[in-house]
Amino acid sequence: MNRVTKRTWMISLFILALLGGLLFFLGEYAFKASDWVIFSGSPHIYNGTNIGFGTVTDRSGETLLVMSDGRTYSENATTRKSTLHWLGDRDGYIKASTVSNYAAHMAGFDLVNGIYDSAGGGVTKLTISAQVQNAALEAMGSRKGTIAVYNYKTGEILCALTTPTYDPDNVPDIAGDETGAYDGVYLNRFLQSAYVPGSIYKIVTTAAALDCVEDIEERSFTCYGKVEYGSEAVTCETAHGRQSLQKAFANSCNCAFAQIAELIGKDNMTRYVSAFAVADSLTIDGVATAKGNYDVSQAAPVSFAWSCIGQYNDLINPARYMTFLGAIAGGGRGAEPYIVSEVECGGSTTYRARTSTSQRVMSEQIAEKLGEYMRNNVKSVYGDGNFPGLSVCAKSGTSQLGGEQDPNAMFAGFVQNEEYPLAFIVVVENGGYGSHTCVPILSKVLSACKAVMDGE
Ligand SMILES: [Zn+2]
């Protein structure tokens, strides 16, 4: 009797342990299977660090990359160069994580069927246009930097070029190059870089001033070419004389902005930078961008003044700053940018991007006023004729880097037309004067965007 009871108990315990284990496995399977299947050591799915099967196309369906037996890039050499940083290279030096993050969708993995289309893989459609990427690459030439344009109503990135780049079918001797032509070539500058913004940061300062200095538009600011702080000074190249806020913004007058910085104060400026999120990292298709920087906690008055002019220790990430411009264009909130539009696998859509709109970063009135000011900049300074058929609003910047380096040329803004809701950023490293260098590049890229949108 005793022995039988003992055995029954033992067997019951075994069965319980077995059931427990099975339940644990099923739970793990349900929650983690897609991670196991697509883990980056998985040889069916990854080739080095990048996804190794399936097809990637641009927004029009033009094939950019086929991954079956190795990686076959576009037949067009310019397209191979202009899209490389979104596709990854053969050696895994350039990580294309925005696409790799959709590996499970590309594999058509689900819990019941497993990988049901592992032979050819799925088709990932990107939001970028090869035609626009190529126009951007031709306009940038051999210069380094990034140019990006996105639709602030939907979030689609039409263009995000990063240079230098190279042809993956004709790889140059990068390691042996001594001219510096390939410095930082593996970097996706749009996502991974942080730049000194220079005067494009006056957009942030102007927004802060419009919000917290009550009579700011009735005030005037006189520029004598220099504002002294003991032995240091904020300077302009010429004395701009007496100006309204709008005029000071159009003249990009440092001396006026030093006075405006004082009216705003450190605490307010820090609060606005945080509300506008301009120094925060942004996540695009699961990839976190580089962070910017705004820290005036230790800044002397002259340094604080420079921080409101986009110098001192200010840094911005191009993707994040472009998104801020999108929020201004959208009346205080804009769509968050993305580059993967949809994934199809085994005849069904396994992923489709959805527009996600940011939280409000500023009031509609302030956003509209900034739009007016930036529109005025284009009409009175940069030349409206550079952007036929488009109402462009913008601010230029020439960011000083110290030492012997030429300044970076910067340009940021947006298009007001209902049918072309585009926000943009242009960064040309050591490019000299902001508007002089960036306007001709942007002009070509925006007209390519317009042509693509007209054809859709
Ligand atoms: Zn001035």
Side-chain angles (χ1 to χ4, degrees):
M1 201 54 182
N2 250 350
R3 193 183 283 174
V4 173
T5 314
K6 208 172 175 185
R7 280 186 185 162
T8 313
W9 269 106
M10 297 264 297
I11 289 171
S12 304
L13 274 176
F14 271 123
I15 292 174
L16 271 173
L18 195 69
L19 280 174
L22 192 66
L23 273 172
F24 177 75
F25 173 75
L26 283 174
E28 289 278 290
Y29 182 71
F31 289 110
K32 296 187 181 162
S34 65
D35 292 343
W36 297 339
V37 166
I38 61 153
F39 95 106
S40 53
S42 169
H44 332 277
I45 304 198
Y46 289 92
N47 166 11
T49 52
N50 291 311
I51 191 166
F53 74 104
T55 298
V56 182
T57 78
D58 84 339
R59 64 186 292 115
S60 69
E62 184 180 326
T63 300
L64 303 177
L65 175 65
V66 178
M67 297 167 285
S68 52
D69 187 17
R71 295 164 76 81
T72 309
Y73 294 90
S74 167
E75 286 176 358
N76 180 320
T78 309
T79 306
R80 289 197 296 271
K81 286 184 187 175
S82 73
T83 58
L84 179 63
H85 289 82
W86 297 106
L87 306 173
D89 63 332
R90 291 193 177 94
D91 302 312
Y93 292 128
I94 298 175
K95 263 193 163 186
S97 305
T98 41
V99 170
S100 300
N101 283 342
Y102 294 88
H105 299 282
M106 282 280 265
F109 176 80
D110 70 40
L111 291 174
V112 180
N113 300 302
I115 297 179
Y116 57 80
D117 194 19
S118 65
V123 177
T124 294
K125 191 181 211 180
L126 303 183
T127 57
I128 53 171
S129 156
Q131 197 180 319
V132 179
Q133 291 288 117
N134 292 355
L137 181 59
E138 275 156 22
M140 282 292 270
S142 60
R143 288 170 287 202
K144 296 187 183 77
T146 181
I147 172 158
V149 184
Y150 94 114
N151 182 321
Y152 56 79
K153 284 189 180 164
T154 64
E156 295 158 278
I157 297 173
L158 265 85
C159 173
L161 174 79
T162 167
T163 55
T165 182
Y166 63 90
D167 181 351
D169 283 355
N170 193 6
V171 181
D173 179 14
I174 291 168
D177 176 71
E178 284 174 1
T179 65
Y182 295 107
D183 284 355
V185 71
Y186 300 130
L187 200 65
N188 184 329
R189 284 160 157 81
F190 173 68
L191 297 176
Q192 297 169 288
S193 287
Y195 289 102
V196 179
S199 292
I200 60 171
Y201 216 69
K202 284 174 183 154
I203 300 169
V204 174
T205 310
T206 302
L210 284 166
D211 200 54
C212 77
V213 184
E214 227 171 71
D215 55 352
I216 188 83
E217 291 200 276
E218 279 81 64
R219 287 176 184 252
S220 65
F221 305 92
T222 304
C223 168
Y224 302 102
K226 196 184 221 182
V227 179
E228 289 181 342
Y229 298 80
S231 60
E232 293 183 81
V234 167
T235 53
C236 286
E237 285 187 354
T238 56
H240 290 107
R242 202 175 145 179
Q243 311 146 92
S244 64
L245 174 65
Q246 189 190 48
K247 194 79 187 164
F249 186 67
N251 288 338
S252 204
C253 173
N254 291 342
C255 296
F257 273 80
Q259 298 167 53
I260 293 162
E262 258 176 64
L263 294 174
I264 297 170
K266 266 189 192 181
D267 289 351
N268 276 334
M269 189 65 187
T270 304
R271 191 162 55 81
Y272 284 107
V273 166
S274 150
F276 300 159
V278 283
D280 298 354
S281 172
L282 173 73
T283 301
I284 298 181
D285 291 302
V287 176
T289 70
K291 274 188 171 180
N293 187 60
Y294 187 81
D295 180 5
V296 289
S297 55
Q298 306 296 318
V302 64
S303 299
F304 172 59
W306 280 120
S307 82
C308 294
I309 300 168
Q311 296 287 156
Y312 183 48
N313 59 16
D314 297 3
L315 291 173
I316 54 148
N317 165 259
R320 166 53 83 183
Y321 208 70
M322 178 192 77
T323 308
F324 171 58
L325 270 302
I328 299 171
R333 49 194 303 207
E336 302 274 342
Y338 63 85
I339 195 155
V340 174
S341 155
E342 60 181 46
V343 183
E344 282 187 11
C345 188
S348 61
T349 302
T350 49
Y351 172 79
R352 179 167 284 139
R354 281 195 318 208
T355 298
S356 123
T357 304
S358 71
Q359 290 189 324
R360 176 165 293 286
V361 299
M362 66 179 69
S363 73
E364 205 166 347
Q365 294 91 307
I366 303 290
E368 260 175 39
K369 184 63 80 179
L370 284 173
E372 268 173 44
Y373 280 23
M374 291 167 72
R375 181 79 188 110
N376 175 61
N377 289 351
V378 175
K379 285 183 173 170
S380 66
V381 186
Y382 311 134
D384 215 13
N386 290 307
F387 310 105
L390 298 172
S391 288
V392 175
C393 306
K395 179 75 191 83
S396 66
T398 307
S399 53
Q400 306 298 329
L401 304 173
E404 297 288 290
Q405 289 189 81
D406 282 333
N408 286 347
M410 317 284 283
F411 206 71
F414 54 89
V415 179
Q416 276 181 325
N417 307 54
E418 267 304 297
E419 62 278 40
Y420 310 110
L422 303 171
F424 55 79
I425 187 158
V426 187
V427 178
V428 181
E429 295 171 19
N430 313 117
Y433 273 101
S435 58
H436 181 259
T437 303
C438 299
V439 168
I441 297 172
L442 180 68
S443 165
K444 289 184 187 124
V445 173
L446 285 186
S447 62
C449 288
K450 186 170 176 287
V452 164
M453 292 171 93
D454 286 342
E456 282 174 356

